[in-house]
Amino acid sequence: MTQPGTTGLIFNEPELWDKSREGRCGISMPRSDVPRTDLDPALTGDAPELPQLSELDVVRHFVRLSQWNFSIDAGMYPLGSCTMKYNPKTNEVQAARKGFAAAHPLAGDEFSQGALKLMYELEQLLGEITGFPAVTLQPAAGAHGELTGMLMIHAWHAKQGKQRSKILIPDTAHGTNPASATLCGYQSVNIKSGPDGILEPATVAEAMDEDTAGIMITNPNTLGLFEENIKEVCDIVHAKGGLVYGDGANMNAVMGIIKPGELGIDVLHLNLHKTFSTPHGGGGPGSGPVAVVEELIPFLPVPRVEKENDAYSFITDCPDTIGRMHTFYGHFSVMVKAFAYILSMGGDGLTRASQLAVLNANYIKESLKTTLDLPYDRPCMHECVFTDKTVQEYHISTMDMAKRLLDYGFHPPTVYFPLVVDAAFMVEPTETESKDDIDQFIEAVKAIVKEAASDPDKLKSAPYLPKVTRLDEVTAARKPCLKG
Amino acid sequence: MRYLPHTRQDIDQMLAVTGHADLNQLFETIPDSAKTKTGLNLPDALSEWDLNAEMEELASQNAACRSYTCLMGAGSYDHHIPAIVPHLISRSEFMTAYTPYQPEVSQGTLQGIYEFQTMITALLGMDIATASHYDGGTALAECALIALRKSKKANKIAVSSLIHPAHRQIMQTYLDPSGYEIVDIPADRNGLTDVAAFKAMEGMAGVAVQSPNFLGNIEDLGSFRACADEKKCLLISSFTEALAHGLLKRPGSFGVDLVAGEGQSLGMAKSFGGPGLGLLAGTKKMMRNLPGRFVGKTTDSNGQRGYVLTLATREQHIRREKAASNICSNNGLNAMTAAVYMAAAGKNGIREIARLNHDKAVYLKNMLVDAGFESVYDSAFFNEFVVKAPAGFADKRRELAEKHNLFAGVPLESYYPDMADHYLFCATETVSRQAMDLLAKEVKS
Ligand SMILES: Cc1ncc(COP(=O)(O)O)c(C=O)c1O
């Protein structure tokens, strides 16, 4: 099978300032039609030392840089926990419509009805998908959604008259979970998942007490497994007066199959930049809406969108609100893209997407489980987690396999996360990868495992085809050089 | 569905490998009691063409669907966006990449963000800048937390009442659960933060001042530095209009410890308020306290120049509950947008645009005063200023929006109850003299 990775001409490109020449400028200056008025020189500084380039200099620079990047549009990007699905192009067209892109956030409700209606309807759609009566779109990313949700839990306990000091967090949780809890002043109590990779009710019962605010659960969890005991776990936490936070970053596995709001979860964040197909942009901007049960609605951040007689407005008069999380209303253009995606897919399409995401992951798991070590050999959801055990005898690590995959033309899976598995190799193909592409990926992994035995040194200094080879991260951290 | 590639035959072959009878059986580990009985009650899927029609219908219900004159700022600014900015940023290689965890195949993002960090330090006169934050308000809230955590004793922070009201609200939300207290510094008669009031405050971990402030006036950061030095507390400055630094003295020149700000003006559409770009910069001393990602320069195993994410030991994926912040995804693509914008504008371009903004704002203020508005402050401003409107302006303002698609200022009363009839106006390089003259004429009539 021919693998996608190959060589081709790319360009060297210096740092911007090495191309700078005094007197160049890359933008068109508007004509001045008013008198020049100088600001008091005591307040004026020198012009900032930005590089001076022509328009084509700038275009070439960034086009050359872009060619050194891997992207979903170029190839399979099976990063576990990241849901790197195809980002539909029509979503970008929708967000770029003048009525959306040029809208000023303070134009006033009556001049912003389209934006308000879109936000209101998106809240309804996400509420239906997750099974909750209310949603806020304000959080700017997944972790920001976690903080929003945890602040609501904090405020709810305060309102009950007694604040609590701890929060339960399973060992499979993403690092943002404990970090978000800390920002609310909660001490994280790490609880262990059972031998099957999922939480056991007894473990939760033992840890849960009346000084514990609740639990943060990711379901499906980061091993790609469904937390089968979710209902019992929620009951245990509720019985002790706690609340259940759901990290919905992995919602892509279960749309139309389960609704977290029906299972006892009280607050849940979604990542629009995962499940709902908005681009990651090399690290954001994302969007992390939060859905809540009835009892938590008063605590939602302001402003909230309200509908009355077919007119939409922002309201801020909510006495129990946690307050504001974003300067305006959140990442609106990301919301437009997710809205376009949901309308394009429909309910059946979203359910189908989850089914195929789970099919793809199980297919990879079954196809590779004799090649790589699979610590939890159970039916998985949208991702599966392997380790490097089968290649350790050749002194090859997960990182070596990951780097070698680059030469084959695949982005590596997530590596060394979740932490409960040693040297994790976490594959999430998503539903938008075809069987043919997945077969190619499987072949690539098998070929690499063969190479581990036959030519381990080759793997240790991989990759060979990218613009640069392995980078010296140790020196980068010891002697940080953060600007040119 | 065109995004789902599986043929019937693919599905059958794959199910044979996984050992499932059908797609539903794939969910065998989910107890039946947990499965939803209702399915998804959502509208039927739309074709691309029906979607276009529906979305255009929604977009057309915003006044922004037609060209309009924007004399509003208050944290979201109307600036020209050169065609190359969206063009370059829309490249799949930038837009559809993940966070650059595998540096060998992410050098484009990494070098671009390194250049962004460098240009932001030049713009602000600071030693270091992070790879971005969500927005100006969340960046400022993080700065407040840094100051409070660094202080051994103080659990209070002094915050100018002329910082963007939404930014102050975000700080309040972030600080509340930790029991930290925000102490407001009042405004003086000139629409500036009252430094004497700050002088009288005791036990502050830091002081935060926005310049130009929410009323548009340029603050004297130097006097806050002197005062903060006496009190041995950190000085945080913030801003909502990044282009002001094309003209003003840089915060770094006043010895500011931390700077937080909004970078939307650097090439991003207003997009109903987001996503913008959170900017965070500090002195070298603050390096290990700053939240979020940094890109650093290094070499590869052949000695070639290259870039990596670095100093990750502050971050949540390594430090978990002990991390400096919970931030993971940031606003990376918007940082790249700002990099393209700053590279295209360059040293002279950014200076000239900044001057144009100031010229237009001065012209607008003069026209409004001439038309019967009252100038409220004599302080120097960049591209925003406050005026008190003549009686009946609220109705006129609505009429201007409806008839002329001209949005005249942001009313201040909802932010500061004693500012009835006060408006915050903004004029940028996009506003023509003709539009400003029209406004003046309409107000007079
Ligand atoms: C399980 C899980 N939770 C939370 C997050 C945080 O999301 P974000 O990066 O949008 O803040 C991630 C993303 O990496 C995740 O995988």
Side-chain angles (χ1 to χ4, degrees):
Chain A
M1 195 180 282
T2 315
Q3 293 292 347
T6 184
T7 52
L9 178 64
I10 55 166
F11 300 89
N12 284 315
E13 179 66 10
E15 291 170 339
L16 275 171
W17 32 93
D18 290 342
K19 298 176 73 172
S20 175
R21 296 292 176 271
E22 184 64 41
R24 282 189 190 146
C25 181
I27 59 170
S28 167
M29 201 51 67
R31 194 175 56 86
S32 178
D33 53 6
V34 297
R36 175 116 290 175
T37 335
D38 286 324
L39 192 64
D40 178 354
L43 301 171
T44 313
D46 298 331
E49 280 301 333
L50 299 179
Q52 302 182 52
L53 308 162
S54 72
E55 183 166 323
L56 180 56
D57 289 336
V58 178
V59 170
R60 279 212 180 123
H61 180 79
F62 287 98
V63 167
R64 288 180 175 189
L65 257 54
S66 77
Q67 291 173 340
W68 308 340
N69 263 10
F70 196 99
S71 64
I72 317 171
D73 282 2
M76 184 169 163
Y77 218 127
L79 271 176
S81 208
C82 301
T83 316
M84 294 294 280
K85 62 169 73 177
Y86 169 60
N87 309 142
K89 303 309 157 203
T90 187
N91 296 356
E92 302 303 319
V93 172
Q94 309 313 333
R97 287 185 191 282
K98 196 163 174 229
F100 295 139
H104 192 284
L106 302 176
D109 294 349
E110 67 183 289
F111 298 101
S112 313
Q113 285 295 298
L116 280 152
K117 184 172 181 202
L118 186 147
M119 290 175 70
Y120 183 85
E121 291 191 350
L122 180 58
E123 287 181 3
Q124 305 294 308
L125 297 173
L126 296 175
E128 169 62 17
I129 292 165
T130 55
F132 288 96
V135 174
T136 173
L137 303 171
Q138 209 177 118
H144 203 218
E146 291 172 28
L147 176 59
T148 305
M150 291 309 294
L151 285 166
M152 282 192 267
I153 290 181
H154 191 271
W156 182 85
H157 280 294
K159 184 91 180 174
Q160 306 307 300
K162 187 176 169 294
Q163 194 45 264
R164 299 184 171 199
S165 70
K166 296 178 290 185
I167 186 93
L168 307 183
I169 301 185
D171 50 9
T172 47
H174 194 260
T176 48
N177 287 192
S180 300
T182 299
L183 278 170
C184 297
Y186 289 130
Q187 185 201 333
S188 299
V189 178
N190 190 21
I191 54 171
K192 282 201 160 37
S193 38
D196 292 342
I198 59 172
L199 272 181
E200 294 185 338
T203 318
V204 178
E206 203 177 310
M208 185 66 206
D209 61 23
E210 280 167 14
D211 192 32
T212 302
I215 189 168
M216 294 183 88
I217 290 192
T218 309
N219 195 16
N221 70 23
T222 62
L223 291 166
L225 305 175
F226 189 80
E227 291 286 356
E228 294 174 29
N229 305 313
I230 182 73
K231 280 184 147 178
E232 291 91 315
V233 168
C234 292
D235 288 345
I236 292 165
V237 172
H238 288 151
K240 296 272 177 174
L243 294 178
V244 180
Y245 183 90
D247 178 330
N250 294 338
M251 194 70 201
N252 203 46
V254 291
M255 287 182 290
I257 315 290
I258 62 145
K259 293 186 180 176
E262 295 173 354
L263 302 180
I265 289 160
D266 298 295
V267 203
L268 176 96
H269 85 261
L270 295 167
N271 285 31
L272 298 188
H273 48 302
K274 297 185 180 184
T275 314
F276 297 96
S277 85
T278 73
H280 278 85
S287 175
V290 171
V292 294
V293 292
E294 202 74 41
E295 195 169 346
L296 289 173
I297 292 176
F299 302 95
L300 284 166
V302 287
R304 307 226 354 90
V305 189
E306 205 177 59
K307 179 184 182 184
E308 213 175 322
N309 305 329
D310 280 331
Y312 301 84
S313 57
F314 282 121
I315 54 162
T316 52
D317 179 22
C318 309
D320 288 327
T321 175
I322 56 163
R324 190 184 273 278
M325 292 300 292
H326 187 267
T327 304
F328 295 107
Y329 321 116
H331 287 171
F332 177 73
S333 77
V334 181
M335 300 171 205
V336 177
K337 297 175 196 183
F339 185 68
Y341 175 72
I342 296 171
L343 294 189
S344 302
M345 297 293 283
D348 291 344
L350 291 178
T351 306
R352 188 76 168 176
S354 285
Q355 290 173 333
L356 296 176
V358 172
L359 177 66
N360 279 355
N362 276 282
Y363 179 72
I364 289 176
K365 174 177 71 71
E366 286 303 312
S367 305
L368 285 177
K369 75 179 191 186
T370 52
T371 306
L372 290 173
D373 168 57
L374 179 72
Y376 298 98
D377 187 3
R378 321 179 58 224
C380 66
M381 295 278 113
H382 60 299
E383 61 197 1
C384 54
V385 180
F386 300 99
T387 79
D388 59 11
K389 226 183 210 160
T390 61
V391 291
Q392 277 172 6
E393 60 176 305
Y394 315 112
H395 304 285
I396 291 300
S397 67
T398 284
M399 190 58 88
D400 299 327
M401 292 193 290
K403 297 298 186 197
R404 185 64 178 143
L405 259 175
L406 296 170
D407 290 328
Y408 283 80
F410 292 95
H411 195 280
T414 292
V415 292
Y416 301 93
F417 175 80
L419 308 177
V420 276
V421 166
D422 279 334
F425 184 90
M426 182 198 208
V427 186
E428 180 181 6
T430 83
E431 73 281 5
T432 55
E433 294 303 319
S434 69
K435 177 171 180 293
D436 313 76
D437 289 337
I438 289 176
D439 283 337
Q440 252 182 347
F441 173 77
I442 291 167
E443 286 310 311
V445 174
K446 286 184 173 166
I448 289 168
V449 170
K450 273 206 193 110
E451 286 179 334
S454 63
D455 193 358
D457 286 343
K458 187 165 190 184
L459 265 65
K460 277 189 210 132
S461 24
Y464 302 94
L465 298 188
K467 170 109 187 354
V468 293
T469 56
R470 286 196 205 189
L471 291 137
D472 183 354
E473 303 196 24
V474 174
T475 307
R478 284 222 184 108
K479 293 194 191 131
C481 170
L482 307 178
K483 65 170 182 181
Chain B
M1 207 306 144
R2 65 192 186 282
Y3 309 150
L4 305 175
H6 299 64
T7 64
R8 186 67 253 169
Q9 196 189 4
D10 291 337
I11 294 175
D12 291 343
Q13 286 176 358
M14 294 171 89
L15 285 171
V17 172
T18 66
H20 294 92
D22 57 32
L23 289 173
N24 289 327
Q25 219 206 347
L26 285 164
F27 299 90
E28 62 193 307
T29 59
I30 304 184
D32 276 341
S33 63
K35 288 189 179 144
T36 184
K37 308 287 177 287
T38 55
L40 292 178
N41 182 18
L42 299 176
D44 288 341
L46 294 182
S47 70
E48 182 169 356
W49 326 114
D50 289 338
L51 178 72
N52 282 339
E54 181 147 341
M55 298 299 276
E56 185 50 33
E57 170 58 26
L58 274 175
S60 72
Q61 292 171 36
N62 287 343
C65 69
R66 285 161 290 143
S67 293
Y68 69 103
T69 303
C70 186
L71 299 177
M72 294 183 293
S76 179
Y77 299 93
D78 189 64
H79 292 294
H80 287 306
I81 299 176
I84 59 166
V85 177
H87 183 86
L88 290 169
I89 287 308
S90 302
R91 285 187 68 88
S92 290
E93 298 89 336
F94 290 137
M95 189 177 269
T96 78
Y98 199 73
T99 302
Y101 288 139
Q102 296 290 342
E104 297 85 350
V105 288
S106 312
Q107 287 298 304
T109 295
L110 286 162
Q111 183 171 331
I113 298 297
Y114 175 82
E115 291 171 341
F116 162 80
Q117 290 172 185
T118 304
M119 289 187 280
I120 293 299
T121 59
L123 190 70
L124 302 178
M126 300 299 287
D127 297 335
I128 49 170
T130 74
S132 81
H133 211 80
Y134 307 135
D135 70 358
T138 51
L140 181 59
E142 294 269 14
C143 288
L145 284 171
I146 294 170
L148 286 157
R149 285 190 203 120
K150 273 185 94 72
S151 165
K152 296 279 174 304
K153 281 174 271 169
N155 72 339
K156 290 189 282 190
I157 182 160
V159 175
S160 162
S161 55
L162 301 181
I163 283 181
H164 194 299
H167 291 190
R168 282 184 289 131
Q169 289 166 6
I170 297 169
M171 286 170 113
Q172 188 71 53
T173 311
Y174 271 59
L175 264 47
D176 254 354
S178 313
Y180 294 132
E181 195 188 329
I182 291 176
V183 182
D184 281 341
I185 315 173
D188 67 16
R189 275 183 301 117
N190 301 316
L192 296 170
T193 309
D194 188 350
V195 70
F198 169 56
K199 223 174 207 147
M201 292 176 182
E202 294 297 331
M204 297 295 154
V207 54
V209 182
Q210 176 179 320
S211 183
N213 65 30
F214 185 66
L215 305 178
N217 299 322
I218 299 165
E219 297 273 5
D220 176 11
L221 291 176
S223 59
F224 281 92
R225 176 71 275 173
C227 212
D229 277 343
E230 275 169 35
K231 296 178 185 297
K232 295 199 168 44
C233 78
L234 288 188
L235 174 59
I236 302 166
S237 77
S238 72
F239 58 89
T240 57
E241 174 50 290
L243 281 179
H245 300 106
L247 190 53
L248 302 188
K249 279 209 166 101
R250 287 180 269 299
S253 68
F254 297 101
V256 168
D257 297 294
L258 291 164
V259 185
E262 175 55 55
Q264 175 262 331
S265 292
L266 304 172
M268 278 144 264
K270 296 182 287 303
S271 273
F272 205 49
L277 171 65
L279 299 171
L280 249 174
T283 56
K284 231 196 218 109
K285 265 196 265 5
M286 294 289 156
M287 188 165 70
R288 296 195 188 263
N289 302 106
L290 286 174
R293 301 193 176 113
F294 284 120
V295 174
K297 180 146 80 168
T298 186
T299 49
D300 75 359
S301 55
N302 297 326
Q304 270 197 91
R305 169 173 63 93
Y307 308 84
V308 291
L309 290 177
T310 193
L311 299 172
T313 49
R314 302 158 298 114
E315 290 190 69
Q316 47 75 29
H317 61 282
I318 308 283
R319 294 269 284 169
R320 298 180 76 85
E321 67 271 12
K322 296 193 186 66
S325 164
N326 69 335
I327 191 168
C328 181
S329 293
N330 53 29
N331 279 24
L333 195 66
N334 288 6
M336 193 69 94
T337 305
V340 175
Y341 182 88
M342 288 187 283
K347 177 181 180 176
N348 300 325
I350 203 159
R351 177 58 146 227
E352 186 52 29
I353 293 177
R355 293 186 73 182
L356 267 176
N357 273 259
H358 181 63
D359 295 344
K360 300 262 185 177
V362 169
Y363 182 84
L364 177 62
K365 185 171 178 184
N366 290 338
M367 289 306 287
L368 289 174
V369 170
D370 184 53
F373 282 75
E374 212 178 288
S375 169
V376 180
Y377 307 115
D378 289 333
S379 303
F381 58 91
F382 173 61
N383 67 0
E384 284 183 281
F385 57 87
V386 177
V387 281
K388 186 162 184 235
F393 178 67
D395 291 336
K396 190 79 204 173
R397 184 171 171 271
R398 169 190 301 264
E399 187 191 315
L400 284 163
E402 281 167 357
K403 276 206 198 134
H404 300 282
N405 243 9
L406 187 153
F407 286 77
V410 173
L412 287 172
E413 191 177 2
S414 65
Y415 302 108
Y416 302 100
D418 56 349
M419 294 188 96
D421 301 325
H422 288 62
Y423 290 81
L424 178 65
F425 273 85
C426 177
T428 68
E429 80 282 5
T430 63
V431 180
S432 68
R433 174 182 195 144
Q434 205 181 2
M436 295 189 275
D437 290 348
L438 170 78
L439 169 64
K441 192 176 123 234
E442 285 287 323
V443 170
K444 276 188 203 160
S445 72

